[in-house]
Amino acid sequence: GAVVSQHPSRVICKSGTSVKIECRSLDFQATTMFWYRQFPKQSLMLMATSNEGSKATYEQGVEKDKFLINHASLTLSTLTVTSAHPEDSSFYICSARSRTGGGGLQPQHFGDGTRLSIL
Amino acid sequence: AQKITQTQPGMFVQEKEAVTLDCTYDTSDPSYGLFWYKQPSSGEMIFLIYQGSYDQQNATEGRYSLNFQKARKSANLVISASQLGDSAMYFCAMREIPGYSSASKIIFGSGTRLSIRP
């Protein structure tokens, strides 16, 4: 079963609306969560990395005030697209990684994505 | 900086044939992990296989195997006996392992769209 739950799976809303997307780790503590954006027929582009209890680290070119990320607990991160416009329409995918242990490579799990359409 | 290259935007393969999807990478970090993900049209990312930079043997998972050639910095995915359900986008990805680099994030290649013909 899914270990990362992303909600909602699809959003259609009017321009100017703010949209919140939730990403939850279901059976592990996610110290680090990642938010990706994917345009049609393109690859996943990392938007930001968030660590629980601290500010997110945004990739170059990603507007911090536009894409608000909150990682308030070890199982929940949210991405809020503020004042969304048609150019923000995209597929957004979150990913969660568990705590570091033994210096090895921790598994990284992906949500099923959110398809955002701004009219 | 790490980089992943997939040079095949699309491939058509006959059902039951084997297929190789190419992936080359570049990193200055000695410790890294290589991944392959499958993304069907529904959008979810399905983990297929993982290879660590220090692994001596090529990774295998059922019909999937990873042809890891470290000196050439390539990590090709081989799918044996392809099935119609294998039709999807396939992404190669890489992550530098913590402890050697602060940039411990997964980056993806541009992807290969695989279409299986009946």
Side-chain angles (χ1 to χ4, degrees):
Chain A
V3 294
V4 173
S5 173
Q6 188 172 341
H7 179 81
S9 58
R10 186 174 182 95
V11 180
I12 302 173
C13 57
K14 294 182 179 180
S15 183
T17 306
S18 290
V19 179
K20 180 184 284 188
I21 302 170
E22 291 188 348
C23 182
R24 294 180 183 273
S25 58
L26 298 182
D27 57 3
F28 67 96
Q29 292 182 328
T31 51
T32 308
M33 286 189 172
F34 305 85
W35 287 94
Y36 292 85
R37 181 176 184 176
Q38 186 180 30
F39 290 106
K41 297 184 180 180
Q42 294 190 23
S43 186
L44 281 72
M45 300 301 296
L46 181 65
M47 299 174 65
T49 303
S50 73
N51 292 295
E52 186 263 338
S54 62
K55 290 185 178 180
T57 302
Y58 289 80
E59 295 297 303
Q60 192 172 10
V62 178
E63 298 177 59
K64 300 178 182 180
D65 296 332
K66 177 69 159 177
F67 300 100
L68 300 179
I69 292 172
N70 183 279
H71 191 168
S73 77
L74 285 171
T75 59
L76 174 65
S77 177
T78 60
L79 167 67
T80 302
V81 184
T82 61
S83 187
H85 292 285
E87 59 266 27
D88 298 323
S89 298
S90 189
F91 191 60
Y92 294 87
I93 305 177
C94 73
S95 180
R97 184 187 303 165
S98 59
R99 288 181 181 275
T100 301
L105 190 70
Q106 311 87 14
Q108 188 160 330
H109 307 284
F110 286 82
D112 287 345
T114 297
R115 201 165 298 279
L116 177 62
S117 300
I118 308 298
L119 305 178
Chain B
Q2 51 185 356
K3 184 180 178 181
I4 291 281
T5 303
Q6 292 180 256
T7 58
Q8 306 155 308
M11 289 188 70
F12 287 89
V13 173
Q14 202 68 31
E15 189 180 8
K16 298 181 183 178
E17 289 184 350
V19 57
T20 298
L21 305 182
D22 296 340
C23 173
T24 57
Y25 61 92
D26 191 21
T27 179
S28 57
D29 201 298
S31 296
Y32 52 89
L34 296 158
F35 306 78
W36 277 92
Y37 288 87
K38 173 184 177 181
Q39 187 181 42
S41 57
S42 51
E44 71 269 27
M45 296 293 285
I46 301 170
F47 167 74
L48 297 178
I49 197 166
Y50 164 78
Q51 178 87 42
S53 58
Y54 293 118
D55 292 344
Q56 295 297 313
Q57 294 185 325
N58 287 344
T60 60
E61 287 288 346
R63 295 187 298 114
Y64 304 108
S65 61
L66 199 152
N67 185 0
F68 181 46
Q69 298 188 38
K70 194 171 182 177
R72 298 178 61 182
K73 293 189 174 180
S74 73
N76 298 340
L77 176 71
V78 179
I79 306 175
S80 63
S82 58
Q83 302 171 356
L84 296 178
D86 293 335
S87 295
M89 279 291 288
Y90 288 81
F91 291 100
C92 180
M94 178 174 68
R95 180 180 142 209
E96 292 166 349
I97 297 176
Y100 292 86
S101 170
S102 62
S104 181
K105 52 194 175 186
I106 288 183
I107 63 164
F108 290 84
S110 55
T112 297
R113 181 167 296 281
L114 177 63
S115 300
I116 308 299
R117 293 184 175 129

